[in-house]
């Protein structure tokens, strides 16, 4: 494209009140919504959770999926009330005042800082599948450089990457669903086992069996990590400020979430539990790779590892995109340094994205230096606190919108306000259950990682209190640039 054509395209594109160019079309929006609902939590995390929870994990995903659906309906009502790249941070500022925006914004930053660092370290580890001698930090830093460059180029570049990443993830899941269904229907031989519905009730050598081999309480405890698997589905709210036609695309994307949850998550986990007995899976390995290895198709492990790398890249890409825009909103509110509000010539919050990139770089080096799985898992658990708080903020904003302004959105949440309160209370209960979470090391020692995570909450509260004391007097309400 010539420079004159580019300039003409820029002139013709609609610019939002916040200074963003509205370039995200329908296929981008749909794939961003799908991509946010399929991540590393499914491709990798579900194996370890099956091993620790058993077939009851199906109910855990279904329950978390129900909360996620309510969340998306609450977010949909807010988006159709007002589209903004500040998303729930902007809504919190309008409905709860500057302090609400300050707290929700920094908790969201905490979420994606921890998530992004963990995903980049994971990318480095996954690359060692192909290049065992390659240091983790080398591939992680190369991946970070690529994603920063994509996000600095334009919002459309980010969306194109998400489109193809989501396409790869969806294709992989659909192929597994087709193959898995065929194996169960035909009772195919998978290693020493037979694919069958009866695997949902099989026991192990310790006499543990049935749908709840480790007990009902364990299936509830795992909700924390299952909720984290749905992290990023709220990205549609942030992207709404750069959509060409949010009035049309947002309702379609929101309503499709429940179908995707049923098919991709609950369908996949159900088939995994039926293709092989639950105790054949293990933490740290992709359950999809386990299935194909048992079938003697180890080469598919390489393909699935590429899919997992794609999922991790997609997650980190989402983090750079979302935090860059949230930091810009916070800067306009006086909740973050003013220089974070700067945009480049491509209508991208470049200083925010570069700042996040530097933080990710520091975090990767620190995580690799500390080594071990404890630091990695603690980062993920800490990120889950941010996820739960962000989701709680969205529910609270929807409830306050109804209380203050009534049913004015073009996409009202069904069953409100009862459904909003159900979602909010559920998140509070799940947060409390984190305290019981444990991590077993390679030497068999059990770490009370949940207590470490819960202990971090008052630390965050103190830091937020100090931060608010510092910026509170000069903070503003929601700002349109």
């Amino acid at each position: 494209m010539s420079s004159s054509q580019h300039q003409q395209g820029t002139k013709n594109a609609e610019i939002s009140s916040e200074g963003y160019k509205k370039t995200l079309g329908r296929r981008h929006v749909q794939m961003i919504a799908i991509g946010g609902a399929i991540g590393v939590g499914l491709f990798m995390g579900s194996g370890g959770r099956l091993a620790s929870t058993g077939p009851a994990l199906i109910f855990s995903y279904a329950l978390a999926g129900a909360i996620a659906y309510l969340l998306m309906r609450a977010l949909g009502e807010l988006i159709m009330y007002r589209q903004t790249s500040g998303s729930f941070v902007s809504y919190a500022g309008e409905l709860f005042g500057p302090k609400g925006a300050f707290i929700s914004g920094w908790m969201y930053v905490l979420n994606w800082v921890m998530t992004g660092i963990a995903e980049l370290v994971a990318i480095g580890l996954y690359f060692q599948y192909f290049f065992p001698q390659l240091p983790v930090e080398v591939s992680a830093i190369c991946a970070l450089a690529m994603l920063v460059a994509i996000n600095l180029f334009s919002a459309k570049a980010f969306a194109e990457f998400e489109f193809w990443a989501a396409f790869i993830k969806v294709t992989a899941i659909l192929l597994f669903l087709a193959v898995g269904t065929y194996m169960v229907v035909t009772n195919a031989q998978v290693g020493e086992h037979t694919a069958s519905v009866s695997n949902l009730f099989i026991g192990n050598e310790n006499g543990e069996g049935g749908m709840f081999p480790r007990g009902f309480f364990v299936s509830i405890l795992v909700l924390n990590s299952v909720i984290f698997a749905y992290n990023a589905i709220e990205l549609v709210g942030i992207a709404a400020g750069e959509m060409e036609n949010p009035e049309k695309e947002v309702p379609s994307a929101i309503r499709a979430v429940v179908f995707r949850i049923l098919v991709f998550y609950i369908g996949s986990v159900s088939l995994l539990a039926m293709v092989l007995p639950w105790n054949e899976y293990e933490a740290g390995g992709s359950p999809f790779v386990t299935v194909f290895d048992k079938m003697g198709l180890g080469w598919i492990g390489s393909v699935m590892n590429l899919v997992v790398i794609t999922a991790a890249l997609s997650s980190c890409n989402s983090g750079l995109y979302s935090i860059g825009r949230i930091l810009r909103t916070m800067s306009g509110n006086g909740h973050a340094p003013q220089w974070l509000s700067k945009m480049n010539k491509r209508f991208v919050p470049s200083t925010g994205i570069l700042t996040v990139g530097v933080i990710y770089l520091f975090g990767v080096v620190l995580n690799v230096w500390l080594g071990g799985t404890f630091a990695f898992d603690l980062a993920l658990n800490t990120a889950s606190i941010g996820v739960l708080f962000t989701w709680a903020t969205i529910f609270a904003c929807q409830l306050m919108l109804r209380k203050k302004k009534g049913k004015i959105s073009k996409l009202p949440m069904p069953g409100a306000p009862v459904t909003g309160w159900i979602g909010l209370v559920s998140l509070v209960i799940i947060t409390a259950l984190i305290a019981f979470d444990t991590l077993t090391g390679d030497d068999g020692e059990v770490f009370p990682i949940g207590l470490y995570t819960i202990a971090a909450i008052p630390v965050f509260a103190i830091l937020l209190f100090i931060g608010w004391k510092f910026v509170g007097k000069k903070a503003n309400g929601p700002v349109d640039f």
Side-chain angles (χ1 to χ4, degrees):
M1 179 184 289
S2 68
S3 59
S4 61
Q5 287 175 315
H6 175 75
Q7 290 172 0
Q8 184 65 35
T10 299
K11 290 178 181 178
N12 293 336
E14 183 182 352
I15 306 299
S16 72
S17 60
E18 298 165 296
Y20 297 106
K21 187 162 66 171
K22 296 189 174 185
T23 57
L24 305 188
R26 181 174 185 179
R27 68 185 181 91
H28 298 128
V29 175
Q30 291 294 329
M31 282 303 192
I32 286 172
I34 293 174
I38 307 174
V40 177
L42 175 61
F43 287 111
M44 288 294 292
S46 54
R49 287 190 282 271
L50 268 171
S52 63
T53 311
L57 184 64
I58 299 170
F59 298 104
S60 302
Y61 270 100
L63 181 56
I67 299 172
Y69 173 68
L70 292 179
L71 172 94
M72 291 303 288
R73 291 308 303 261
L75 182 60
E77 180 167 331
L78 291 165
I79 295 172
M80 296 308 289
Y81 157 66
R82 178 168 63 86
Q83 293 90 49
T84 168
S85 289
S87 191
F88 54 89
V89 175
S90 180
Y91 303 135
E94 177 182 347
L95 299 167
F96 292 99
K99 187 181 293 185
F102 175 82
I103 295 173
S104 60
W106 282 113
M107 287 300 290
Y108 190 68
V109 170
L110 169 72
N111 162 24
W112 272 113
V113 163
M114 292 297 183
T115 300
I117 292 171
E119 298 287 17
L120 286 167
V121 172
I123 289 170
L125 293 170
Y126 300 149
F127 262 105
Q128 288 186 331
Y129 179 92
F130 302 103
F131 309 101
Q133 304 305 316
L134 184 67
V136 169
E137 61 270 25
V138 172
S139 48
I141 292 171
C142 288
L144 174 61
M146 178 189 72
L147 294 175
V148 168
I150 289 172
N151 276 271
L152 287 176
F153 190 77
S154 69
K156 197 165 186 177
F158 153 79
E160 282 294 336
F161 184 93
E162 281 303 292
F163 176 86
W164 291 108
F167 179 81
I168 291 171
K169 291 186 286 186
V170 169
T171 300
I173 291 296
L174 290 178
L175 286 174
F176 173 75
L177 290 175
V179 172
T181 300
Y182 174 79
M183 289 192 292
V184 172
V185 170
T186 60
N187 296 128
Q189 195 70 21
V190 185
E192 300 177 356
H193 303 277
T194 301
S196 171
V197 176
S198 63
N199 284 330
L200 294 174
F201 311 99
I202 200 168
N204 62 11
E205 65 277 5
N206 298 321
E208 298 170 322
M211 288 293 292
F212 297 87
R214 300 285 169 79
F216 176 77
F217 188 59
V218 172
S219 67
I220 299 299
L221 283 180
V222 79
L223 279 173
N224 170 41
S225 55
V226 172
I227 285 285
F228 183 78
Y230 290 109
N231 186 27
I233 62 173
E234 73 282 348
L235 192 64
V236 173
I238 297 173
E242 294 173 87
M243 293 178 188
E244 292 175 349
N245 189 1
E247 298 284 337
K248 181 179 179 180
E249 302 307 333
V250 169
S252 175
I254 295 294
R255 292 190 176 106
V257 167
V258 66
F259 172 76
R260 297 183 189 116
I261 289 172
L262 285 171
V263 173
F264 296 130
Y265 273 98
I266 302 173
S268 295
V269 174
S270 297
L271 280 174
L272 286 170
M274 287 187 276
V275 170
L276 280 174
W278 59 274
N279 52 321
E280 289 295 311
Y281 298 102
E282 58 184 18
S286 170
F288 301 95
V289 174
T290 300
V291 169
F292 290 115
D293 279 344
K294 296 284 186 182
M295 294 174 64
L297 300 173
W299 63 271
I300 296 184
S302 299
V303 176
M304 288 305 301
N305 198 69
L306 287 173
V307 174
V308 173
I309 290 174
T310 301
L313 285 169
S314 173
S315 177
C316 191
N317 189 43
S318 298
L320 285 166
Y321 174 86
S322 57
I323 299 184
R325 282 145 182 84
I326 292 298
L327 284 176
R328 184 167 184 263
T329 297
M330 294 170 65
S331 174
N333 292 342
H335 299 161
Q338 290 299 305
W339 49 267
L340 288 172
S341 65
K342 292 181 180 178
M343 302 266 279
N344 65 14
K345 294 180 180 180
R346 297 181 179 275
F347 303 91
V348 168
S350 51
T351 53
I353 291 170
L354 287 169
T355 299
V356 177
V358 171
I359 295 172
Y360 280 178
L361 176 62
F362 176 77
V364 167
V365 174
L366 180 62
N367 201 295
V368 171
W369 178 66
L370 290 174
T373 60
F374 182 72
F376 180 82
D377 286 299
L378 185 59
L380 286 180
N381 266 36
T382 305
S384 68
I385 293 293
V387 176
L388 291 166
F389 190 90
T390 295
W391 285 25
T393 298
I394 293 171
F395 280 122
C397 286
Q398 184 273 329
L399 288 166
M400 187 59 71
L401 178 67
R402 280 293 185 97
K403 181 179 180 180
K404 287 188 172 183
K405 302 194 176 185
K407 190 176 179 180
I408 62 172
S409 174
K410 296 179 182 178
L411 187 64
M413 183 178 183
V418 175
T419 45
W421 280 111
I422 290 175
L424 192 58
V425 172
S426 298
L427 295 176
V428 172
I429 294 173
I430 292 171
T431 302
L433 291 173
I434 292 176
F436 299 92
D437 196 11
T438 59
L439 174 67
T440 303
D442 296 334
D443 57 358
E445 185 178 356
V446 177
F447 294 97
I449 192 169
L451 291 178
Y452 280 92
T453 307
I454 291 297
I457 294 179
V459 175
F460 299 149
I462 292 171
L463 291 174
L464 288 170
F465 176 79
I466 295 173
W468 179 250
K469 286 294 183 181
F470 182 73
V471 306
K473 293 181 179 179
K474 53 185 178 181
N476 307 309
V479 172
D480 283 336
F481 291 89

